[in-house]
Amino acid sequence: MIANVKCKPWKMEKKIEVLREAKKFVSENEGALGKGKGKRWFAFKMMMSKKWAKFLRDFENFKAACVPWENKIKAIESQFGSSVASYFLFLRWMYGVNMVLFILTFSLIMLPEYLWGLPYGSLPRKTVPRAEEASAANFGVLYDFNGLAQYSVLFYGYYDNKRTIGWLNFRLPLSYFLVGIMCIGYSFVVVLKAMTKNIGDDGGGDDNTFNFSWKVFCSWDYLIGNPETADNKFNSITMNFKEAITEERAAQVEENVHLIRFLRFLANFFVFLTLGASGYLIFWAVKRSQEFAQQDPDTLGWWEKNEMNMVMSLLGMFCPTLFDLFAELEDYHPLIALKWLLGRIFALLLGNLYVFILALMDEINNKIEEEKHVKANITLWEANMIKAYNASLSGNTTGPPFFVHPADVPRGPCWETMVGQEFVRLTVSDVLTTYVTILIGDFLRACFVRFCNYCWCWDLEYGYPSYTEFDISGNVLALIFNQGMIWMGSFFAPSLPGINILRLHTSMYFQCWAVMCCNVPEARVFKASRSNNFYLGMLLLILFLSTMPVLYMIVSLPPSFDCGPFSGKNRMFEVIGETLENDFPSWMAKILRQLSNPGLVIAVVLVMALTIYYLNATAKGQKAANLDLKKKMKMQALENKMRNKKMAAARAECRSLQPVDSNFLSLPEDQKSSFPSSSKVMTHVKFQRTSFGEQLLCSTLDGIPDVFINEGCLSPPRARKISMLL
Amino acid sequence: MGRCGGDRQAEHLPTRWPQLLDPGTLEAVVLTMGSKQTVFTREQLEEYQDCTFFTRKEIMRLFYRYQDLAPQLVPLDYTGCPAVKVPYELIGSMPELKDNPFRQRIAQVFSDDGDGHMTLDNFLDMFSVMSEMAPRDLKAYYAFKIYDFNNDDYICAWDLEQTVTRLTRGELSAEEVSLVCEKVLDEADSDHDGRLSLEDFRNMILRAPDFLSTFHIRI
């Protein structure tokens, strides 16, 4: 009772009275039982539980305070509504995921190699080759991630394949492999967790039961204490209502079916043409870049060198606008049109991605072929060196000691580093394209509209071009695909998560500024999904599609023979076997070898498949039962409504009975006016007091109870007067 | 047995409650004596802590906020339970409330006479209910009272119209406002009497995912 008094909806005085009585009661009884010691233990327990509750609350406050950019997102929310803010929330969530990936790769791969591995220049793989040394520190070379950047912890090729390094005996190759797998695993877990959390939010898709009620009663944020924010909130609430009303009304529009169907067919035809053209363009750019690769790098301009990346970025920029244009023909409901647009952009970007991967696989195969030639050359070179060494030993003893500088050793092509470099370059060019687009497309346009409006023929702000709206779907898809790149490339370039962190960080600030400064809120706001699950689903798909090539490469391609932590092995995953052999006690190795017996593995896979099937069937059954129950509830509610309507009708008839002297009843005006005379007789008057007023119940000849609801001022004397009347 | 009886030494020794004089409580008394607050008696503070969701520090902070609203009016010594009411205009000008379109209703609901002038008890009550520790049920009850503009214990169409108009600052047309009110009654009025009772309202609001986070004032 004492603990619950604060939860009662009473005035303070009443609460304090009740509290005092309860305390008196408690202390009297405890005094009677004479439990002095027990009381102290009880008090101690209470104190500990209070302290624990306080600690939990403080911790929650701390956690909430740690979340970055909360104010920025709130400001955007208040000005643009929740759908634009959802992009920034998504960006922040990605930032968190990438932060974990960065911490994993940095602390378990890059830092150990930097601290305990052999330094730059000590091994051939860690040194810039003599031929490139002159230009190794040029900005142009570094920008391409060649030169000094290539021979550093940023890329795969730098790492040594020694089994343990440093005084801690840190097993770097094992760590590299495991961190790579863990990154992928962690990403899957985190995306799936987010999706399952949001499934609960979706409420089984039946969120429309209290749509307007929630908008009316839950939309004002009582935390607002700033007049500008309040203004923003009022605007956003108004917009929200208008959008909801439009949605209500849009359900009632007629269409001309045949024309619509023809236009939609035409629009889809154009979209196919565009997708085909984009695919061909990328294919052509790949062929051209292969030609350029044969030529001497110095004869190529900037465009030729970066043609592939630029073509992909530009396609990603312009094709969605084309799709938007074609969607004008289709005339779908905005929500459906949004879904079609997203699907088409997704297909475009997916096509781009896979053409890119095909090009890469081509390159990799070329490099592997080249390796064979280089291996042959190296054996020759080594033979020469040995001859020279022997000669120096047996010949002049006063000459300088025989020494081969690591920079002079001929190098094998390192396909993993090449893959890493491609992804890093693609990410960087993507970032630049995005920022330049925002600057030119949004900022310069806004400046132009704002300042040239004074001296222009038509109103720039309302007509064309006007300010840009924030393109939520385009930005979210770009974010998703960039993340796909990161997942693909981070095994071969451990620095990629770090670069991405930097990119997301600056993106956040830059885009927040751009949104607040250059964009206007959309006129019609339709979210692709209430709970973000649509975008998370796409993210999951991209995650799956990006890890497939990586896993394929790990499992089936031989690592380069002279660079990276797996050099010398036949396949990269052999590092696991090696660790099991050498580092674990022999009995464990035996057990694990038994476990990897094919028969056992097949049995486990079968059991997992059966479990999945069973869980799926259960889930389906439960969903069906859920829908059934909902249907029943709806029927029940309908029935109740019908019954209440009947009662209301009967009430109206009952009201038609005229009392002899209406002064005795203090009924509100609307009830008074509906008092025509009638022949029905009220047989029975019951007086009931309820907590919120007093109700007068009367029943008619039909036996249907009727209700006069009074404003709480009907006192017993009055009720008696009524019964006398009747 | 008033808590503000004439016993002026109440802040130093709990002579009224001899059964509390066991060692545990003496410690508490010593600690309180070291804290130098002279606004409330120890019992008053404890009672406030039991009746609201605030800790001792927060209650003192709230008292000083209340006192700041009307320094001339509010005495610094509440051991005698002075009957002081701060007028609504000063309450409504608090930074936490001044941009809220429902601030008048909030003050009216929590004040003794429904006129918006609040005593310290009302003030503490108000912020306790609006704090984030208050449970859903309690908030739902008070939200119902706040949105019931004509105090007839039902949210009728007129109440809804008032709410929507204040929410949109008059930007919606009359037709749109009445459409919204119709839809709300359609959705939430389960006994189909044309207005929302407390039960209807509770039924609807307790399922709202963002009710708790929006119906919250931080002070």
Side-chain angles (χ1 to χ4, degrees):
Chain A
M1 179 57 165
I2 294 179
N4 280 335
V5 78
K6 55 175 85 165
C7 300
K8 296 273 188 240
W10 302 323
K11 284 254 181 305
M12 183 72 85
E13 285 177 2
K14 184 163 176 202
K15 282 196 270 193
I16 291 181
E17 232 184 86
V18 169
L19 182 75
R20 217 173 286 135
E21 283 182 27
K23 270 193 177 158
K24 203 167 98 170
F25 179 78
V26 161
S27 55
E28 275 171 6
N29 282 356
E30 282 202 357
L33 290 172
K35 285 201 311 193
K37 231 187 190 183
K39 196 150 171 234
R40 227 189 302 178
W41 168 246
F42 182 69
F44 176 75
K45 261 201 327 191
M46 288 309 293
M47 187 189 72
M48 285 314 289
S49 64
K50 263 193 219 163
K51 276 208 194 311
W52 177 246
K54 184 167 184 309
F55 170 75
L56 278 180
R57 206 195 308 162
D58 282 343
F59 185 63
E60 287 294 326
N61 283 343
F62 173 72
K63 265 204 319 192
C66 265
V67 175
W69 303 314
E70 191 71 20
N71 289 336
K72 270 199 176 10
I73 293 185
K74 270 218 169 102
I76 294 179
E77 216 169 29
S78 58
Q79 190 163 341
F80 287 90
S82 58
S83 37
V84 170
S86 73
Y87 165 73
F88 288 97
L89 287 169
F90 196 57
L91 183 65
R92 188 172 69 180
W93 180 78
M94 288 283 229
Y95 182 76
V97 173
N98 276 293
M99 184 60 98
V100 174
L101 294 181
F102 168 66
I103 290 178
L104 277 177
T105 53
F106 183 73
S107 57
L108 292 175
I109 300 182
M110 287 169 71
L111 205 56
E113 179 68 25
Y114 183 72
L115 287 179
W116 300 314
L118 296 170
Y120 172 81
S122 52
L123 286 181
R125 66 181 62 174
K126 299 195 182 207
T127 329
V128 178
R130 189 67 72 182
E132 299 171 19
E133 224 177 272
S135 61
N138 289 351
F139 178 74
V141 168
L142 282 180
Y143 179 77
D144 260 345
F145 289 94
N146 284 326
L148 278 178
Q150 179 177 356
Y151 296 95
S152 68
V153 282
L154 298 180
F155 289 102
Y156 174 97
Y158 183 81
Y159 294 85
D160 196 10
N161 68 339
K162 283 227 306 259
R163 224 168 64 79
T164 67
I165 53 175
W167 50 275
L168 278 178
N169 282 344
F170 188 81
R171 289 161 177 66
L172 189 70
L174 181 69
S175 145
Y176 197 101
F177 187 76
L178 284 181
V179 166
I181 302 291
M182 255 206 301
C183 283
I184 297 175
Y186 170 76
S187 307
F188 266 111
V189 164
V190 100
V191 172
L192 281 172
K193 246 175 63 168
M195 280 184 81
T196 45
K197 196 158 66 121
N198 283 338
I199 283 184
D201 277 352
D202 230 354
D206 201 355
D207 252 359
N208 288 324
T209 22
F210 293 120
N211 194 9
F212 275 89
S213 316
W214 289 348
K215 280 200 204 321
V216 170
F217 292 115
C218 301
S219 49
W220 179 260
D221 190 357
Y222 282 62
L223 276 174
I224 290 180
N226 168 351
E228 250 188 64
T229 325
D231 268 344
N232 289 335
K233 190 66 181 174
F234 280 123
N235 288 336
S236 89
I237 291 180
T238 314
M239 246 187 6
N240 208 354
F241 272 119
K242 289 204 167 147
E243 153 208 330
I245 293 177
T246 327
E247 244 186 89
E248 269 299 302
R249 289 198 185 134
Q252 304 140 11
V253 172
E254 304 258 318
E255 297 174 4
N256 177 355
V257 176
H258 296 290
L259 182 65
I260 296 283
R261 279 213 196 122
F262 172 70
L263 285 178
R264 283 179 190 172
F265 176 73
L266 201 63
N268 276 319
F269 177 68
F270 284 138
V271 165
F272 265 126
L273 275 184
T274 316
L275 284 176
S278 134
Y280 179 70
L281 204 62
I282 292 188
F283 185 69
W284 176 80
V286 166
K287 277 280 177 268
R288 283 240 305 187
S289 78
Q290 279 176 351
E291 279 172 25
F292 290 146
Q294 315 287 356
Q295 297 172 6
D296 186 5
D298 289 331
T299 57
L300 301 172
W302 177 87
W303 173 260
E304 278 90 359
K305 274 198 251 192
N306 292 317
E307 191 179 41
M308 179 75 175
N309 296 338
M310 291 313 293
V311 164
M312 282 184 67
S313 306
L314 287 173
L315 275 179
M317 234 168 60
F318 285 118
C319 286
T321 335
L322 276 178
F323 291 151
D324 226 354
L325 208 61
F326 297 145
E328 298 282 325
L329 286 174
E330 285 181 332
D331 198 22
Y332 278 123
H333 181 263
L335 196 58
I336 304 183
L338 182 67
K339 290 207 160 127
W340 274 96
L341 182 68
L342 287 177
R344 286 169 186 156
I345 299 180
F346 188 76
L348 175 78
L349 292 176
L350 202 61
N352 289 358
L353 193 66
Y354 266 79
V355 172
F356 180 72
I357 292 178
L358 284 174
L360 265 186
M361 290 305 293
D362 241 359
E363 280 291 304
I364 293 177
N365 285 331
N366 285 346
K367 283 240 151 81
I368 293 184
E369 290 297 317
E370 206 184 313
E371 248 187 29
K372 301 202 183 112
H373 296 293
V374 172
K375 258 198 197 155
N377 280 346
I378 284 190
T379 34
L380 276 175
W381 178 85
E382 269 179 3
N384 286 340
M385 284 297 137
I386 291 179
K387 264 194 240 165
Y389 182 64
N390 284 339
S392 77
L393 270 187
S394 59
N396 238 339
T397 47
T398 57
F402 187 77
F403 177 68
V404 182
H405 194 269
D408 292 320
V409 177
R411 242 45 97 54
C414 198
W415 63 265
E416 294 99 343
T417 308
M418 188 248 338
V419 170
Q421 278 177 320
E422 284 294 326
F423 278 113
V424 173
R425 280 189 213 132
L426 194 62
T427 309
V428 170
S429 82
D430 236 345
V431 170
L432 288 177
T433 322
T434 318
Y435 287 2
V436 166
T437 317
I438 293 182
L439 270 180
I440 296 184
D442 287 359
F443 182 63
L444 281 187
R445 178 164 150 176
C447 283
F448 174 69
V449 168
R450 179 76 183 286
F451 295 120
C452 294
N453 208 11
Y454 299 118
C455 46
W456 207 262
C457 337
W458 68 87
D459 189 352
L460 286 172
E461 282 183 5
Y462 280 111
Y464 185 80
S466 86
Y467 299 106
T468 25
E469 295 179 346
F470 186 77
D471 179 15
I472 306 171
S473 44
N475 275 302
V476 172
L477 279 179
L479 198 61
I480 292 179
F481 272 90
N482 284 326
Q483 190 61 37
M485 298 280 163
I486 303 297
W487 278 320
M488 268 201 276
S490 66
F491 188 77
F492 303 107
S495 58
L496 209 47
I499 295 180
N500 204 30
I501 288 275
L502 222 63
R503 188 195 117 219
L504 288 176
H505 206 98
T506 48
S507 241
M508 185 65 165
Y509 289 110
F510 187 65
Q511 283 188 304
C512 278
W513 165 79
V515 144
M516 298 296 274
C517 162
C518 324
N519 288 356
V520 288
E522 294 180 357
R524 316 169 304 186
V525 177
F526 290 95
K527 284 210 279 191
S529 101
R530 197 176 286 272
S531 62
N532 255 354
N533 253 3
F534 186 67
Y535 294 125
L536 282 174
M538 279 208 282
L539 189 65
L540 190 66
L541 187 62
I542 291 289
L543 172 59
F544 184 67
L545 290 175
S546 3
T547 52
M548 298 300 293
V550 176
L551 289 177
Y552 170 74
M553 283 195 241
I554 291 180
V555 164
S556 63
L557 292 179
S560 308
F561 71 94
D562 73 340
C563 69
F566 307 115
S567 55
K569 298 197 177 36
N570 210 9
R571 289 281 185 273
M572 292 189 194
F573 56 81
E574 285 176 7
V575 71
I576 302 268
E578 196 193 8
T579 315
L580 284 177
E581 298 267 336
N582 298 340
D583 294 326
F584 283 90
S586 55
W587 52 266
M588 215 180 218
K590 245 189 265 179
I591 292 179
L592 286 169
R593 217 174 297 137
Q594 292 294 348
L595 280 180
S596 64
N597 177 13
L600 198 61
V601 169
I602 291 181
V604 168
V605 167
L606 263 178
V607 167
M608 283 206 295
L610 285 175
T611 322
I612 292 178
Y613 174 72
Y614 170 74
L615 286 174
N616 201 14
T618 323
K620 270 206 202 126
Q622 283 177 341
K623 242 194 246 180
N626 208 3
L627 279 174
D628 231 358
L629 281 171
K630 276 198 187 145
K631 250 192 260 178
K632 277 208 186 121
M633 274 172 55
K634 273 202 185 133
M635 296 302 298
Q636 188 69 20
L638 267 174
E639 258 179 61
N640 283 348
K641 263 197 182 160
M642 302 289 290
R643 196 168 8 111
N644 288 329
K645 264 196 191 153
K646 266 208 271 185
M647 274 173 61
R651 192 194 316 160
E653 287 191 52
C654 193
R655 240 182 252 146
S656 63
L657 287 170
Q658 187 77 267
V660 173
D661 191 343
S662 57
N663 281 335
F664 285 102
L665 294 171
S666 55
L667 296 166
E669 281 304 321
D670 49 348
Q671 286 186 347
K672 269 194 212 158
S673 60
S674 61
F675 260 60
S677 59
S678 149
S679 54
K680 281 248 175 78
V681 175
M682 286 205 286
T683 54
H684 178 69
V685 172
K686 236 189 337 185
F687 180 74
Q688 237 188 24
R689 176 182 298 202
T690 63
S691 52
F692 285 121
E694 294 160 346
Q695 291 182 347
L696 196 57
L697 281 171
C698 65
S699 54
T700 66
L701 282 173
D702 297 345
I704 303 174
D706 201 350
V707 177
F708 274 114
I709 306 227
N710 195 293
E711 252 68 79
C713 53
L714 192 63
S715 56
R718 279 214 175 111
R720 263 178 269 134
K721 278 199 188 128
I722 294 176
S723 60
M724 282 194 318
L725 282 176
L726 306 167
Chain B
M1 193 170 69
R3 57 201 247 265
C4 319
D7 196 329
R8 282 297 159 169
Q9 294 140 15
E11 68 185 86
H12 296 296
L13 274 180
T15 53
R16 291 186 169 279
W17 305 96
Q19 63 264 42
L20 295 179
L21 265 183
D22 60 337
T25 322
L26 269 183
E27 273 178 61
V29 166
V30 167
L31 281 174
T32 320
M33 279 170 61
S35 67
K36 293 209 174 80
Q37 69 87 13
T38 54
V39 179
F40 298 111
T41 64
R42 200 177 57 80
E43 300 88 60
Q44 280 179 313
L45 260 187
E46 277 200 18
E47 280 165 358
Y48 279 142
Q49 282 184 68
D50 278 328
C51 294
T52 65
F53 295 96
F54 294 124
T55 62
R56 199 167 152 273
K57 220 165 66 158
E58 287 163 342
I59 294 177
M60 292 312 299
R61 194 156 46 92
L62 273 169
F63 170 74
Y64 286 120
R65 286 297 301 272
Y66 183 72
Q67 211 264 338
D68 269 339
L69 290 177
Q72 266 58 10
L73 207 53
V74 177
L76 276 167
D77 185 350
Y78 250 75
T79 50
C81 292
V84 174
K85 278 194 179 188
V86 170
Y88 163 69
E89 291 72 28
L90 294 173
I91 304 269
S93 66
M94 286 180 72
E96 286 84 0
L97 288 178
K98 72 174 168 32
D99 294 305
N100 195 325
F102 300 111
R103 59 186 179 279
Q104 191 169 27
R105 280 302 301 161
I106 300 176
Q108 284 172 353
V109 161
F110 285 99
S111 62
D112 280 332
D113 306 322
D115 52 7
H117 307 315
M118 302 177 75
T119 65
L120 178 65
D121 279 356
N122 300 335
F123 191 77
L124 287 173
D125 241 345
M126 172 168 76
F127 284 108
S128 166
V129 168
M130 304 298 291
S131 76
E132 56 187 341
M133 284 86 68
R136 279 193 112 111
D137 269 341
L138 188 62
K139 288 195 184 219
Y141 174 83
Y142 277 103
F144 181 78
K145 294 190 81 172
I146 287 175
Y147 293 124
D148 179 12
F149 282 78
N150 51 12
N151 281 321
D152 60 351
D153 296 320
Y154 287 91
I155 295 183
C156 60
W158 185 79
D159 293 328
L160 286 173
E161 268 171 49
Q162 287 292 306
T163 313
V164 175
T165 319
R166 274 170 210 233
L167 270 180
T168 57
R169 270 202 307 207
E171 298 254 336
L172 290 183
S173 70
E175 184 200 335
E176 289 169 334
V177 171
S178 64
L179 175 67
V180 170
C181 297
E182 251 179 64
K183 288 293 299 178
V184 173
L185 285 174
D186 232 353
E187 289 169 359
D189 186 11
S190 52
D191 52 10
H192 206 79
D193 56 355
R195 50 196 180 170
L196 303 181
S197 65
L198 178 62
E199 262 319 296
D200 297 334
F201 185 79
R202 280 187 69 243
N203 209 13
M204 178 265 297
I205 210 88
L206 289 180
R207 294 205 219 147
D210 42 5
F211 172 60
L212 271 186
S213 55
T214 52
F215 198 70
H216 166 211
I217 297 184
R218 196 187 300 275
I219 183 153

